[in-house]
Amino acid sequence: MTHPSNPFPRIGLGWDTHQLAAGRACVLGGVLLDSPLGPLGHSDGDAILHALTDALLGAAGLDDIGTLFPDHSAANKDRNSAEFLGAAMEKLGDQNLQLASADLVVICDEPRIGPYRQSIRENLSQLMNIPVDRVNLKGKSTEGGDDNRVTVQAVVLLVNA
Ligand code: MG
Protein backbone atom coordinates (compact mmCIF):
# COMPACT_ATOMS: atom_id res chain seq x y z
CA MET A 1 0.00 0.00 0.00
CA THR A 2 1.11 3.54 -0.68
CA HIS A 3 2.02 5.45 2.43
CA PRO A 4 -0.27 8.52 2.56
CA SER A 5 2.62 10.87 3.21
CA ASN A 6 4.74 9.56 0.33
CA PRO A 7 4.85 12.49 -2.10
CA PHE A 8 6.83 10.77 -4.84
CA PRO A 9 5.30 10.05 -8.24
CA ARG A 10 5.68 6.55 -9.68
CA ILE A 11 6.74 5.70 -13.20
CA GLY A 12 5.76 2.47 -14.94
CA LEU A 13 7.01 0.80 -18.11
CA GLY A 14 5.13 -1.75 -20.18
CA TRP A 15 6.07 -3.68 -23.31
CA ASP A 16 4.23 -6.21 -25.41
CA THR A 17 4.45 -7.83 -28.81
CA HIS A 18 2.01 -9.97 -30.78
CA GLN A 19 2.27 -11.71 -34.14
CA LEU A 20 -0.26 -10.52 -36.72
CA ALA A 21 -2.17 -13.24 -38.58
CA ALA A 22 -5.03 -13.61 -41.04
CA GLY A 23 -8.48 -14.31 -39.65
CA ARG A 24 -8.03 -12.26 -36.49
CA ALA A 25 -9.84 -8.96 -35.82
CA CYS A 26 -7.29 -6.16 -35.62
CA VAL A 27 -8.24 -4.48 -32.35
CA LEU A 28 -5.53 -2.18 -30.99
CA GLY A 29 -6.10 0.27 -28.18
CA GLY A 30 -9.69 -0.97 -28.17
CA VAL A 31 -10.21 0.38 -31.71
CA LEU A 32 -11.00 -1.88 -34.67
CA LEU A 33 -8.48 -1.22 -37.45
CA ASP A 34 -9.20 -2.04 -41.08
CA SER A 35 -6.61 -4.76 -41.68
CA PRO A 36 -6.56 -8.31 -43.10
CA LEU A 37 -4.20 -9.27 -40.26
CA GLY A 38 -4.89 -9.07 -36.54
CA PRO A 39 -2.92 -9.88 -33.38
CA LEU A 40 -2.75 -13.52 -32.34
CA GLY A 41 -3.29 -14.16 -28.65
CA HIS A 42 -5.20 -16.06 -26.01
CA SER A 43 -7.21 -12.90 -25.32
CA ASP A 44 -8.10 -10.48 -28.12
CA GLY A 45 -4.35 -9.83 -28.46
CA ASP A 46 -4.61 -6.07 -27.99
CA ALA A 47 -0.91 -5.31 -27.49
CA ILE A 48 -1.59 -1.62 -26.78
CA LEU A 49 -3.90 -2.39 -23.88
CA HIS A 50 -1.56 -5.13 -22.61
CA ALA A 51 1.50 -2.85 -22.56
CA LEU A 52 -0.50 -0.07 -20.94
CA THR A 53 -1.96 -2.40 -18.30
CA ASP A 54 1.52 -3.70 -17.47
CA ALA A 55 2.87 -0.14 -17.17
CA LEU A 56 0.10 0.76 -14.71
CA LEU A 57 0.57 -2.42 -12.66
CA GLY A 58 4.34 -1.95 -12.66
CA ALA A 59 4.11 1.64 -11.45
CA ALA A 60 1.79 0.55 -8.65
CA GLY A 61 4.22 -2.16 -7.53
CA LEU A 62 1.79 -4.96 -8.45
CA ASP A 63 2.13 -8.29 -10.26
CA ASP A 64 2.22 -8.17 -14.05
CA ILE A 65 -0.65 -8.83 -16.46
CA GLY A 66 0.41 -12.42 -17.15
CA THR A 67 0.34 -13.24 -13.44
CA LEU A 68 -3.02 -11.58 -12.83
CA PHE A 69 -4.65 -12.85 -16.04
CA PRO A 70 -2.89 -16.09 -17.06
CA ASP A 71 -3.02 -17.12 -20.71
CA HIS A 72 -3.87 -20.71 -19.68
CA SER A 73 -7.08 -19.59 -18.02
CA ALA A 74 -10.30 -20.28 -19.95
CA ALA A 75 -11.73 -17.09 -18.40
CA ASN A 76 -9.25 -15.04 -20.45
CA LYS A 77 -9.85 -16.79 -23.78
CA ASP A 78 -10.73 -14.19 -26.45
CA ARG A 79 -11.25 -11.76 -23.59
CA ASN A 80 -11.69 -8.07 -24.29
CA SER A 81 -8.42 -6.56 -23.04
CA ALA A 82 -10.23 -3.41 -21.91
CA GLU A 83 -11.23 -5.56 -18.93
CA PHE A 84 -7.55 -6.03 -18.00
CA LEU A 85 -7.00 -2.29 -18.20
CA GLY A 86 -10.14 -1.65 -16.16
CA ALA A 87 -8.98 -4.07 -13.47
CA ALA A 88 -5.58 -2.34 -13.30
CA MET A 89 -7.26 1.08 -12.98
CA GLU A 90 -9.39 -0.28 -10.16
CA LYS A 91 -6.27 -1.51 -8.34
CA LEU A 92 -4.74 1.97 -8.63
CA GLY A 93 -7.83 3.44 -7.04
CA ASP A 94 -7.56 0.91 -4.20
CA GLN A 95 -4.07 2.28 -3.50
CA ASN A 96 -5.14 5.92 -3.80
CA LEU A 97 -3.05 6.29 -6.92
CA GLN A 98 -4.10 8.32 -9.92
CA LEU A 99 -2.83 8.25 -13.50
CA ALA A 100 -1.22 11.59 -14.43
CA SER A 101 -0.18 10.73 -17.99
CA ALA A 102 0.59 7.92 -20.41
CA ASP A 103 2.73 7.80 -23.55
CA LEU A 104 3.02 4.94 -26.02
CA VAL A 105 5.03 3.88 -29.05
CA VAL A 106 3.36 1.40 -31.40
CA ILE A 107 5.79 -0.28 -33.78
CA CYS A 108 4.01 -1.81 -36.76
CA ASP A 109 4.45 -1.69 -40.53
CA GLU A 110 0.94 -2.89 -41.50
CA PRO A 111 -1.60 -1.67 -40.65
CA ARG A 112 -0.32 1.89 -40.40
CA ILE A 113 -1.15 3.32 -36.99
CA GLY A 114 -1.13 7.00 -38.00
CA PRO A 115 -4.68 7.17 -39.38
CA TYR A 116 -6.02 5.67 -36.14
CA ARG A 117 -3.81 7.60 -33.75
CA GLN A 118 -6.41 10.11 -32.64
CA SER A 119 -9.24 7.62 -32.23
CA ILE A 120 -6.99 5.31 -30.18
CA ARG A 121 -5.96 8.25 -27.96
CA GLU A 122 -9.58 9.18 -27.44
CA ASN A 123 -10.55 5.62 -26.61
CA LEU A 124 -7.68 5.24 -24.13
CA SER A 125 -8.60 8.53 -22.47
CA GLN A 126 -12.17 7.26 -22.02
CA LEU A 127 -11.09 3.85 -20.74
CA MET A 128 -8.76 5.46 -18.17
CA ASN A 129 -10.94 8.49 -17.46
CA ILE A 130 -8.22 11.09 -18.06
CA PRO A 131 -8.13 14.01 -20.53
CA VAL A 132 -7.01 13.09 -24.04
CA ASP A 133 -4.05 15.50 -23.88
CA ARG A 134 -2.63 13.29 -21.12
CA VAL A 135 -2.57 10.18 -23.32
CA ASN A 136 -0.20 10.20 -26.27
CA LEU A 137 0.65 7.60 -28.86
CA LYS A 138 3.04 7.43 -31.79
CA GLY A 139 3.02 4.96 -34.65
CA LYS A 140 6.44 3.86 -35.88
CA SER A 141 7.33 1.81 -38.94
CA THR A 142 10.35 -0.48 -39.23
CA GLU A 143 10.43 -0.16 -43.04
CA GLY A 144 9.57 -3.83 -43.50
CA GLY A 145 11.57 -5.30 -40.65
CA ASP A 146 8.75 -6.07 -38.22
CA ASP A 147 7.90 -9.54 -39.62
CA ASN A 148 4.09 -9.10 -39.33
CA ARG A 149 4.16 -8.10 -35.71
CA VAL A 150 2.90 -5.29 -33.52
CA THR A 151 5.14 -4.20 -30.67
CA VAL A 152 4.18 -1.62 -28.07
CA GLN A 153 6.05 0.34 -25.44
CA ALA A 154 4.06 2.22 -22.81
CA VAL A 155 5.16 4.55 -20.04
CA VAL A 156 2.86 5.95 -17.36
CA LEU A 157 3.20 8.35 -14.45
CA LEU A 158 1.15 7.83 -11.30
CA VAL A 159 0.61 10.37 -8.53
CA ASN A 160 -1.20 10.15 -5.21
CA ALA A 161 -4.93 10.73 -5.63
MG1 MG B 1 -0.03 -9.43 -24.81
Side-chain angles (χ1 to χ4, degrees), residues 37-100:
L37 305 179
L40 282 173
H42 182 71
S43 65
D44 63 6
D46 192 328
I48 290 180
L49 296 187
H50 295 178
L52 195 48
T53 299
D54 248 352
L56 294 168
L57 293 171
L62 298 168
D63 285 338
D64 73 358
I65 188 172
T67 305
L68 293 175
F69 306 104
D71 65 5
H72 49 75
S73 161
N76 299 324
K77 178 93 180 102
D78 297 323
R79 191 158 171 192
N80 180 345
S81 295
E83 294 179 23
F84 304 145
L85 184 65
M89 291 301 293
E90 210 164 288
K91 287 175 185 296
L92 299 195
D94 292 345
Q95 296 199 49
N96 285 321
L97 292 168
Q98 180 180 325
L99 175 62

Side-chain angles (χ1 to χ4, degrees), residues 10 19 21 28 31 37 42 46 63 74 79 88 90 101 109-110 129 134-135 139 141 156 158-159:
R10 291 159 164 250
Q19 193 87 43
L28 289 170
V31 172
L37 305 179
H42 182 71
D46 192 328
D63 285 338
R79 191 158 171 192
E90 210 164 288
S101 67
D109 289 344
E110 285 294 335
N129 196 26
R134 288 177 171 268
V135 187
S141 152
V156 300
L158 304 185
V159 294

